[in-house]
Structures are given as C-alpha cells and as structure tokens.
Amino acid sequence: MPILNRAAELQDEIAGWRRQIHQHPETMFAVEKTAAFVADRLKEFGVDEIVTGIGRTGVVGLIKGKGPGRTIGLRADMDALPITETTGKPWASTVPGKMHACGHDGHTAMLLGAAKYLAETRNFAGNVAVIFQPAEEGGGGGNEMVKDGMMERFRIDEVYGMHNMPGMPVGQFGTRPGPIMAATDEFDITVKGRGGHAAQPHRTIDPIVIGAQLVTTLQTLVSRNTDPIASLVVSVTKFNAGFAHNVIPEEARLGGTVRTLSPALREEAEARIRQVCAGLASANGAEISVHYQRNYPVVVNHDAETGHALAVAGEIAGGSNVNGALDPMMGGEDFAYMLLARPGAFVFVGNGDTAGLHHPAYDFNDDVIPYGVSYWVKLAETRLAA
C-alpha cells in the first residue's frame, strides 16, 4: 500500500503547522507554547482525552477506536536546540539562538497529522495514545514522562518512535532489531598537580603533561582494550588548563563523552576510565578525580515490534525502500527509556539530501510528511486491527 491519499491531501496543512512550530522554537522542558499548540490542535480534531503537564510539559492525547482493545503509544519530540539558524527560509526561527535543528518540528507535525486522521476514521479497536515529549535534547523528557506514570495511566501496551535521517532518500525507512542507538555517558576529570615556574618543571607536578597522557591513554580503551567488533567511542572534547606562558598551573580539567551499545561494555568503559586515572595519578604523584555521569541508555528495539514496524514501512514505501538491517548509530536518544518500560521500536525515515542534524543550515523536509503520517496511521490500524 502506498502513502495514504488523505495524508497527501493534508500535507500542506501539516507543513503549515510544522513551519509555525519552526518559527517559534523552545528548548528543553520550556516548551509551553509548543505544548499549547499541540493541545489546541488535538482538541480541534476531537481527540477523546487530552492531558498536559506529563513529564513536566509533555502532552498525551488518547484516541478511542471502535470497541475495546489494547493501546499503543506513538511518540514525537517537541524541543529545539540552542543553535542560531542560518537557513534563510521564510519560516526560519524568530528566536535568537534557538532553532529546530533536529526536525522535532516535523516529528510533532507528522504525529498531529496522524492524530487528525485517526480521530476522523477510528478504523481500529482499542486506543492510540499520541505522545508529545519535551526535552529530548539532553533533558531526558522521555524518562520524566515514564516516571510520571504515563504508561500505566494510559495503559500503553506498545510504544513506537520515529526520527528523520538526512542522507537517507525521502520515501525510505530503516531500523534494526536490538541496539540501534548508543548509551550517552559523560565524564569530567580534574588533574591536581603542583604548580610552579615554567623554567623549573622539576619542582612541579605538571597537570598539563599528565592530562596529555590521559588523553592518549584513553584512546587505547577503544584500540587495545575493546573487541574490534564491539562499538565504543571515547572522545575527550574539553581540555582546560593554565593562564600564563611562564606558569605551570595547579590543575587541568578534561571532559568528554563515552558511547556504547551494550550494558556490559558501558560498565567496563567506566571502570577502565577510573582505573586509567588512578594509575596515572599514582605514577605521577598527582590527584585525579573523576565525575562520571550516566545519561541516556542504549536504544534497544524489541524483535517482534521491530518486525511489525518494518512490515508497515514496507507497505508504505515498498520493500526495496526499507532497510531492516540499518547500522547502529552512536548518537543518543531518550526514547530508550520508553523502550525500557514497554516493548516497541524506533525507526528512521529519510529526510533527503539536507544539512545534517544539529547543523545551523538544517531544515526538516516537508516532502517527508505523507510518508511519516501514513506510517503512523497504518501502524496504529495494523497493531489494533478491528
């Protein structure tokens, strides 16, 4: 089955919603205007139950079908990024320093389009919960909605998410069972030495030299301590020390990120970072402290639900346009928390030849809208067949 005729008919209206959201970006949990826009549209569509303030500023709408049955959740994210837009589009951000550089405006608009269609037709048994989440970009809004009891309150049995992918042609879908996106941990390391005159380094414990050793040694966690078939990223992204040409400072501060695709490797990476720091501290007579922050867990697609998602995508786009063995990605996504709470799947839909995610020239491709809306609708109707 190709894209739904109704989805194509609604494209211009949905694009209008998308562009309005794009012009007024909000970040993290401060998405009150976007959430209000979503709630107003759901009310216009005749959605049966609309609840705001879930997970602080999230919105859930419940659409009841023809008779009793299970409930599936369809999730979109609403928040933007603290980036200055450079697209020059007529609908460019009107808020300095903020823009929708990840396509969450498109995700929200497509799910609104699906909600409108499902509320009109109700060609399913059971319920569809349309989930609009804040703070995906680093705030863990998905986790907050789960902790707020969303799954229990709406009796959600399965949950599904979708994200656009620049570089994948419009009209194509991709995902895989099992790990699809990485756990995203962060570390901050402080190296305390003994400062002194740069002309007398033997009287000091130089934290810059120790920090440089640390940067190099951390790379061996990937190249020499991890199975080459496994996936591990350790990136030092901050290194701050010193204030003058002729002074060896007292301390150096480093920070970075660790990305893994398995819980076991996640545990091992943290342990090895702490071991490396302890060893270098002992060898150099310094003090090294490590603050290690666990952030989003691995996004793990459930086998059966991924199969359902791929089958629906194939109906919409054709089997040759669906990649069911998409390579895992080392980026993070807090839909992981929802997949820990309920079975489901996270899929990608092609955004075409556009700037990359989180780039100031990125813009969601409105040609994607009929595919995304059709996918959501057919997924709901298939999983809740009347």
Side-chain angles (χ1 to χ4, degrees):
M1 178 179 290
I3 61 174
L4 297 168
N5 290 335
R6 182 64 171 141
E9 292 169 2
L10 289 170
Q11 180 175 352
D12 288 345
E13 182 178 12
I14 297 169
W17 301 335
R18 200 279 295 182
R19 295 176 183 186
Q20 183 171 343
I21 295 169
H22 189 95
Q23 285 184 301
H24 304 94
E26 298 174 296
T27 55
M28 296 292 282
F29 288 98
V31 293
E32 289 85 359
K33 293 179 181 178
T34 306
F37 179 87
V38 165
D40 287 346
R41 299 292 79 72
L42 296 178
K43 184 177 180 180
E44 290 174 5
F45 306 157
V47 169
D48 299 283
E49 183 178 352
I50 304 165
V51 181
T52 60
I54 298 179
R56 294 166 60 175
T57 48
V59 180
V60 177
L62 195 67
I63 305 168
K64 297 179 180 180
K66 298 174 180 178
R70 300 179 311 118
T71 300
I72 69 166
L74 311 178
R75 173 270 202 175
D77 33 19
M78 298 186 289
D79 57 317
L81 283 156
I83 297 175
T84 298
E85 183 167 352
T86 63
T87 65
K89 297 289 181 65
W91 53 85
S93 170
T94 60
V95 182
K98 297 180 181 181
M99 71 169 290
H100 274 286
C102 203
H104 296 185
D105 52 339
H107 302 164
T108 295
M110 289 192 295
L111 188 54
L112 282 174
K116 180 171 184 172
Y117 181 100
L118 291 167
E120 289 174 350
T121 59
R122 300 180 188 264
N123 186 29
F124 57 91
N127 306 290
V128 177
V130 287
I131 302 164
F132 298 88
Q133 179 208 302
E136 189 280 323
E137 299 289 358
N143 191 32
E144 293 301 313
M145 295 188 85
V146 170
K147 291 194 299 182
D148 212 2
M150 175 183 70
M151 299 299 183
E152 295 78 14
R153 178 171 183 172
F154 295 97
R155 298 181 180 179
I156 295 172
D157 297 293
E158 300 173 7
V159 66
Y160 296 87
M162 176 167 50
H163 203 293
N164 76 94
M165 180 183 285
M168 179 186 287
V170 173
Q172 292 189 7
F173 292 83
T175 190
R176 66 182 297 120
I180 183 68
M181 296 189 75
T184 60
D185 297 339
E186 296 173 349
F187 60 86
D188 288 285
I189 299 171
T190 300
V191 181
K192 291 187 177 180
R194 183 170 64 240
H197 200 295
Q200 298 176 321
H202 60 291
R203 298 182 181 276
T204 72
I205 298 175
D206 192 336
I208 294 178
V209 172
I210 299 169
Q213 291 177 316
L214 184 55
V215 172
T216 302
T217 305
L218 287 177
Q219 303 314 304
T220 67
L221 301 187
V222 177
S223 65
R224 290 297 178 267
N225 294 154
T226 302
D227 185 339
I229 304 302
S231 297
L232 172 64
V233 173
V234 179
S235 293
V236 178
T237 58
K238 300 185 293 182
F239 193 140
N240 301 294
F243 53 88
H245 290 87
N246 61 347
V247 176
I248 291 175
E250 288 282 326
E251 68 177 35
R253 295 179 179 272
L254 298 82
T257 185
V258 177
R259 306 296 175 103
T260 51
L261 287 171
S262 77
L265 186 53
R266 190 183 198 188
E267 294 286 345
E268 182 179 346
E270 179 180 355
R272 290 290 291 129
I273 287 173
R274 294 186 182 279
Q275 289 169 1
V276 165
C277 289
L280 284 174
S282 177
N284 290 278
E287 295 180 14
I288 302 180
S289 60
V290 181
H291 176 72
Y292 199 95
Q293 177 69 43
R294 297 285 185 98
N295 289 324
Y296 298 169
V298 181
V299 179
V300 181
N301 281 336
H302 297 248
D303 290 353
E305 287 70 24
T306 304
H308 301 319
L310 289 169
V312 169
E315 291 182 23
I316 300 299
S320 63
N321 288 314
V322 178
N323 182 354
L326 191 69
D327 289 338
M329 303 169 201
M330 302 312 286
E333 165 62 63
D334 77 346
F335 190 67
Y337 294 107
M338 296 192 186
L339 290 178
L340 287 172
R342 292 293 186 275
F346 192 70
V347 307
F348 292 89
V349 61
N351 200 58
D353 185 16
T354 66
L357 302 176
H358 294 210
H359 191 281
Y362 169 87
D363 189 35
F364 181 83
N365 189 341
D366 289 330
D367 290 341
V368 178
I369 288 172
Y371 294 95
V373 172
S374 297
Y375 170 78
W376 281 140
V377 169
K378 297 311 297 183
L379 181 65
E381 293 180 345
T382 300
R383 296 303 299 140
L384 300 174

Short mmCIF file of all heavy atoms in Angstrom, two decimals, residues 54-55 143-155:
data_model
loop_
_atom_site.label_atom_id
_atom_site.label_comp_id
_atom_site.label_asym_id
_atom_site.label_seq_id
_atom_site.Cartn_x
_atom_site.Cartn_y
_atom_site.Cartn_z
N ILE A 54 2.44 16.23 31.56
CA ILE A 54 3.03 14.94 31.88
C ILE A 54 4.53 15.00 31.64
O ILE A 54 4.98 15.46 30.58
CB ILE A 54 2.38 13.82 31.04
CG1 ILE A 54 0.88 13.72 31.35
CG2 ILE A 54 3.07 12.49 31.28
CD1 ILE A 54 0.16 12.67 30.55
N GLY A 55 5.31 14.57 32.61
CA GLY A 55 6.75 14.75 32.48
C GLY A 55 7.10 16.22 32.43
O GLY A 55 7.97 16.63 31.69
N ASN A 143 12.24 10.04 29.91
CA ASN A 143 12.33 9.42 31.23
C ASN A 143 11.35 10.07 32.20
O ASN A 143 10.71 9.38 33.02
CB ASN A 143 13.75 9.53 31.76
CG ASN A 143 13.99 8.67 32.99
OD1 ASN A 143 13.41 7.61 33.14
ND2 ASN A 143 14.88 9.14 33.86
N GLU A 144 11.23 11.39 32.12
CA GLU A 144 10.31 12.09 33.01
C GLU A 144 8.86 11.69 32.76
O GLU A 144 8.08 11.53 33.70
CB GLU A 144 10.47 13.61 32.84
CG GLU A 144 11.80 14.16 33.31
CD GLU A 144 12.06 13.88 34.78
OE1 GLU A 144 11.15 14.12 35.60
OE2 GLU A 144 13.17 13.42 35.12
N MET A 145 8.50 11.48 31.51
CA MET A 145 7.13 11.05 31.22
C MET A 145 6.87 9.64 31.74
O MET A 145 5.79 9.35 32.27
CB MET A 145 6.86 11.15 29.71
CG MET A 145 6.90 12.57 29.17
SD MET A 145 6.37 12.71 27.44
CE MET A 145 4.58 12.83 27.63
N VAL A 146 7.87 8.77 31.58
CA VAL A 146 7.72 7.41 32.10
C VAL A 146 7.60 7.44 33.62
O VAL A 146 6.73 6.78 34.21
CB VAL A 146 8.91 6.54 31.66
CG1 VAL A 146 8.89 5.19 32.40
CG2 VAL A 146 8.87 6.31 30.15
N LYS A 147 8.47 8.20 34.29
CA LYS A 147 8.43 8.28 35.75
C LYS A 147 7.14 8.91 36.25
O LYS A 147 6.70 8.65 37.38
CB LYS A 147 9.63 9.09 36.26
CG LYS A 147 10.96 8.38 36.10
CD LYS A 147 12.07 9.03 36.90
CE LYS A 147 12.31 10.46 36.51
NZ LYS A 147 13.43 11.08 37.26
N ASP A 148 6.51 9.72 35.41
CA ASP A 148 5.25 10.36 35.78
C ASP A 148 4.06 9.41 35.65
O ASP A 148 2.91 9.82 35.87
CB ASP A 148 5.03 11.60 34.90
CG ASP A 148 4.28 12.71 35.63
OD1 ASP A 148 3.97 12.55 36.83
OD2 ASP A 148 3.99 13.74 34.99
N GLY A 149 4.33 8.16 35.28
CA GLY A 149 3.27 7.16 35.22
C GLY A 149 2.49 7.12 33.92
O GLY A 149 1.38 6.57 33.89
N MET A 150 3.06 7.66 32.84
CA MET A 150 2.33 7.73 31.58
C MET A 150 1.90 6.35 31.08
O MET A 150 0.75 6.18 30.65
CB MET A 150 3.20 8.41 30.52
CG MET A 150 2.60 8.44 29.13
SD MET A 150 3.71 9.18 27.92
CE MET A 150 4.98 7.90 27.81
N MET A 151 2.79 5.39 31.14
CA MET A 151 2.46 4.07 30.60
C MET A 151 1.28 3.43 31.34
O MET A 151 0.37 2.86 30.73
CB MET A 151 3.68 3.15 30.67
CG MET A 151 4.87 3.63 29.87
SD MET A 151 4.53 3.76 28.10
CE MET A 151 6.16 4.24 27.48
N GLU A 152 1.29 3.56 32.65
CA GLU A 152 0.23 2.98 33.47
C GLU A 152 -1.07 3.78 33.31
O GLU A 152 -2.16 3.18 33.20
CB GLU A 152 0.64 2.95 34.93
CG GLU A 152 1.83 2.04 35.24
CD GLU A 152 3.17 2.65 34.85
OE1 GLU A 152 3.22 3.88 34.59
OE2 GLU A 152 4.16 1.91 34.79
N ARG A 153 -0.96 5.08 33.32
CA ARG A 153 -2.15 5.93 33.26
C ARG A 153 -2.96 5.66 32.00
O ARG A 153 -4.19 5.59 32.03
CB ARG A 153 -1.75 7.40 33.34
CG ARG A 153 -2.92 8.36 33.23
CD ARG A 153 -2.49 9.78 33.55
NE ARG A 153 -3.60 10.70 33.53
CZ ARG A 153 -3.53 11.97 33.92
NH1 ARG A 153 -2.38 12.46 34.38
NH2 ARG A 153 -4.59 12.75 33.87
N PHE A 154 -2.26 5.51 30.86
CA PHE A 154 -2.96 5.31 29.59
C PHE A 154 -2.97 3.84 29.16
O PHE A 154 -3.42 3.52 28.06
CB PHE A 154 -2.32 6.19 28.51
CG PHE A 154 -2.48 7.67 28.78
CD1 PHE A 154 -1.46 8.38 29.39
CD2 PHE A 154 -3.66 8.32 28.48
CE1 PHE A 154 -1.59 9.73 29.67
CE2 PHE A 154 -3.81 9.67 28.75
CZ PHE A 154 -2.78 10.37 29.36
N ARG A 155 -2.46 2.97 30.03
CA ARG A 155 -2.46 1.53 29.79
C ARG A 155 -1.82 1.19 28.44
O ARG A 155 -2.36 0.40 27.64
CB ARG A 155 -3.88 0.98 29.88
CG ARG A 155 -4.50 1.17 31.27
CD ARG A 155 -5.89 0.61 31.37
NE ARG A 155 -6.46 0.80 32.70
CZ ARG A 155 -7.68 0.43 33.06
NH1 ARG A 155 -8.48 -0.19 32.18
NH2 ARG A 155 -8.12 0.64 34.29
#
